[in-house]
Amino acid sequence: MMIDDCIDSEDRPTLVFTFGLREGEEFPLEQANAVIGRDRSVDIRLDSPFVSRQHAKIEHQGGYWYLTDLFSKNGVYKNLNRIQPGKQVLLGHRDQVQIGSVSAFEFHDPERTIHQSEKRLLGHGLRLDGPNHDVYVNGEQLEPPLPPQQFTLLDSLVNKEGNVLTNEEIARALWPEAAGGVESAAIDNAISRLRDRLAEVDRTHKYIETVRGVGRRFVQKEAR
């Protein structure tokens, strides 16, 4: 049996159904993965024609929990945003998940921790706690947290650390519905607001560098 096949009962996350089918019921995640759907073979059954036979999957990997839409017909939503079919999406404590239009649950994670390796890195420069959408600058947590759009922008920049995130990539990340019709002023304003927030906790380093005519680059603070 794989290490992740069983979850310690003290750290067992739970799905708390809040709407529609199974409302009021709770399902502790006793194994490393659980499939949701209308088929009799799934782990959590939602008996509705609007639910696919295997609609969604929740699984535990590397200390984190992930949600995947199994190419369902009516979709899976996390915090009101439809997720891309087949793509793993991180689940955080109290994230809201909707299965089509017939059922919804809240993900409860009693552990709510990040990896020890990440904790050791929090004392220097800028670090992201992706599962909880928290930002740490020199070990200090940014409060209040960044709005979702600003966190998406910062996460996109950090993921390309040392390389340029083009203006087109920024526009797609922040306004995917705009289909290329984003004014450069809107991008400038988004970058400016993010820089102002980071400067609240560290005015000694410029984390976002402008590459004129191309885009922006995330620059990590060097250790002394």
Side-chain angles (χ1 to χ4, degrees), residues 157 163-167 170 184 187-189 191 195 208-211 214-218:
L157 286 161
N163 297 309
V164 175
L165 186 70
T166 67
N167 292 330
I170 294 173
S184 60
I187 296 175
D188 292 342
N189 288 336
I191 292 292
R195 280 176 172 157
I208 303 173
E209 178 183 82
T210 296
V211 181
V214 182
R216 290 356 186 249
R217 177 191 291 122
F218 174 75

Side-chain angles (χ1 to χ4, degrees), residues 5 11 14 20 22 26-27 37 41 82 84 88 90 92-93 123 132 136 143 153 159 175 186 196 199 205-206:
D5 282 349
D11 299 326
T14 302
R22 315 305 292 259
E26 298 185 6
F27 291 85
S41 67
R82 186 165 183 170
Q84 180 180 335
Q88 286 185 325
L90 280 167
H93 181 58
N132 297 308
Y136 293 82
E143 290 287 357
L153 174 55
N159 283 335
W175 302 282
D196 287 345
H205 181 71
K206 189 174 181 180

Side-chain angles (χ1 to χ4, degrees), residues 4-7 12 28-34 43 58 60 65:
D4 270 357
D5 282 349
C6 292
I7 308 301
R12 183 181 298 159
L29 296 175
E30 299 180 352
Q31 297 186 21
N33 59 74
D43 302 288
I58 295 175
H60 187 254
W65 288 90

Side-chain angles (χ1 to χ4, degrees), residues 30-132:
E30 299 180 352
Q31 297 186 21
N33 59 74
V35 175
I36 302 169
R38 78 168 190 271
D39 194 89
R40 293 183 179 276
S41 67
V42 302
D43 302 288
I44 301 174
R45 188 167 183 246
L46 300 175
D47 190 8
S48 166
F50 299 102
V51 176
S52 298
R53 292 184 181 279
Q54 293 193 345
H55 199 108
K57 179 170 65 173
I58 295 175
E59 56 192 325
H60 187 254
Q61 291 183 5
Y64 294 137
W65 288 90
Y66 295 89
L67 171 69
T68 305
D69 180 348
L70 299 176
F71 298 93
S72 66
K73 182 178 179 180
N74 292 309
V76 178
Y77 298 78
K78 174 188 160 187
N79 298 330
L80 302 181
N81 296 310
R82 186 165 183 170
I83 68 175
Q84 180 180 335
K87 181 179 180 181
Q88 286 185 325
V89 175
L90 280 167
L91 273 179
H93 181 58
R94 292 196 177 280
D95 274 348
Q96 306 289 323
V97 176
Q98 185 174 325
I99 304 298
S101 60
V102 301
S103 188
F105 61 83
E106 188 172 83
F107 177 75
H108 285 203
D109 184 358
E111 192 171 69
R112 285 177 284 177
T113 57
I114 58 177
H115 294 301
Q116 293 298 319
S117 60
E118 289 177 299
K119 289 182 178 180
R120 290 194 291 270
L121 294 173
L122 294 180
H124 174 76
L126 185 147
R127 305 292 170 184
L128 302 184
D129 173 8
N132 297 308

